[in-house]
Amino acid sequence: MGLGAYFRLARAGFVLAREGALSIADNDALPPVMKAGVRFGRLFERGEVRRSGNVERLTRALHRLGPTYVKLGQTLATRPDIVGPAAAADLAVLQDSMEPFDPALVPGLLHEALGARAAELTEFSPPIAAASIAQVHHARLADGTKVAVKILRPGIRQRFAADIESQYAGARLAETFVPKLRRLRPVDVVATLDRSARIELDLRLEAASISEFTDNIKDDTGFVIPRVLWDYTSDTVLTTTWVEGIPIRDNAALDAAGVDRKALAKNLLQAFLRHTVRDGFFHADLHPGNLFADPRTGDVIAVDFGIMGRITRRERRFLAEILYGFITRNYRLIAERHFEIGYVPRSQSIDEFALALRAIGEPQHGRRVSEISMSKVLGQLFATTELFEMQTRPELILLQKSMVLVEGVARALDPELDIWTISEPIVGDWVRRSAGPLGRLEDLRDHFDTAVATLGRLPAVVSKAEAALDDYEHDKHAPGRRFNRFMILTGFWLGLVVLLTALWRLLGF
């Protein structure tokens, strides 16, 4: 990693500090180590920002810094409860109203991606939405079908690579010079985001995500997505059927069309939980620019499937039982699950961790969502993770980010949202199912698959063990060597018998 990465990182920190990025969070809610960093960074703020608190130039700064910083701004735009209403409103422009690239480039990009088929896309419009990664146009096929055409921004892959390199540099610096942050595993977190970005920058993979998602929700109601047109799709161009709706952030238009915003918020939250807990495959970029409402049916319409999250059945159970624990105020259950999945070291006390969770959860019960300060809750959570030496699970980073996004969108639709009541039908049903006979059968199937996979690897393990023994046995006629070989082989086969016996008992035979 070259010095350029560190230079870009320093430049990004300076620009963000100067434009007021460090002023939008509630500093009182932060732990001491972060408070000191924020105070130092704010020394570089422009005088106008310090006097007025206005951060209107922050949006332009994020755009100038690159696409990964734009993604951060999109997330913050959904959380006026954390960054304040003025900053959130200003950052909202990052969701789909960014400057489009030169329209003169479009015909060449289409021809390069689709060849002769590019000519079949007629009535090509100017961009109707422009985001950090790509922009969208509408067009028609020869038969009159209206379609949406998404085109990757020229040079975006190189910009993403430069951004990610500087973030790796920052993560390594954090691990080296701030030991307390090592438990958060910043390098692994950046690696997770890196993999996600690489997938997002190949539109064929986004098309495949839409296809899988379509299969998952084919029997669901209330959540609609477009269909992929594979003949007009490549790594830089994605064509789908056209979907029509009202932007979900336009409360005035939703009200004028008679859309029930409370029902819409409930539908969005429950759909997200259903996709996550039931399927383990969810839309991980549900900012308001990607969400619409059908005024005729009240359905949620989602677009832009470049960032998708996937979690295993074990992680789905963890999520469901954590949410169910908060719903039922069973803080002991929440604590036990954190220990089981490895979030909290075994050296810590389950009872004390449950007590800390109660201190966070109890004040939120019975309150309207508009009365809850998420910045204070997040600050308390961070302090708790430090106290109990909690480790970050990088595989859950996208899920955690997505939950922040979805809750922010839902609370904008319905400030009186009762998250726990809305979540219970989805989460409670899944927990009861996973704890019942069907769930136990699925657990048994997982154990069986593991056992079969282990048995399938045994011949290779035996071969490697024999080869290793032969390498060390150049003097196999020596009595000592013969005895050693006998003992090693005996130990190996004895261990194998023990392993097979354990698997046999595990499967209940």
Side-chain angles (χ1 to χ4, degrees), residues 9-25 27 30 32-47 49-50 55 58:
L9 180 68
R11 174 178 174 269
F14 175 78
V15 170
L16 292 175
R18 182 165 175 75
E19 299 304 334
L22 301 178
S23 68
I24 60 180
N27 200 31
L30 298 176
V33 65
M34 296 183 70
K35 284 181 182 178
V38 168
R39 289 195 190 100
F40 174 75
R42 294 200 66 182
L43 295 175
F44 299 98
E45 265 183 18
R46 289 188 300 112
V49 172
R50 196 175 297 112
V55 295
L58 179 58

Side-chain angles (χ1 to χ4, degrees), residues 362-379:
E362 282 299 299
Q364 315 311 327
H365 276 280
R367 286 193 180 190
R368 295 176 300 176
V369 72
S370 58
E371 298 174 332
I372 298 173
S373 170
M374 282 305 297
S375 60
K376 287 184 169 55
V377 172
L378 291 174

Side-chain angles (χ1 to χ4, degrees), residues 355-400:
L355 189 66
L357 291 171
R358 180 179 292 274
I360 296 171
E362 282 299 299
Q364 315 311 327
H365 276 280
R367 286 193 180 190
R368 295 176 300 176
V369 72
S370 58
E371 298 174 332
I372 298 173
S373 170
M374 282 305 297
S375 60
K376 287 184 169 55
V377 172
L378 291 174
Q380 192 174 355
L381 279 170
F382 193 89
T384 299
T385 66
E386 185 175 12
L387 177 64
F388 289 92
E389 301 176 358
M390 290 175 64
Q391 302 291 314
T392 293
R393 297 293 299 248
E395 66 273 22
L396 297 178
I397 291 295
L398 276 180
L399 173 61
Q400 292 162 337

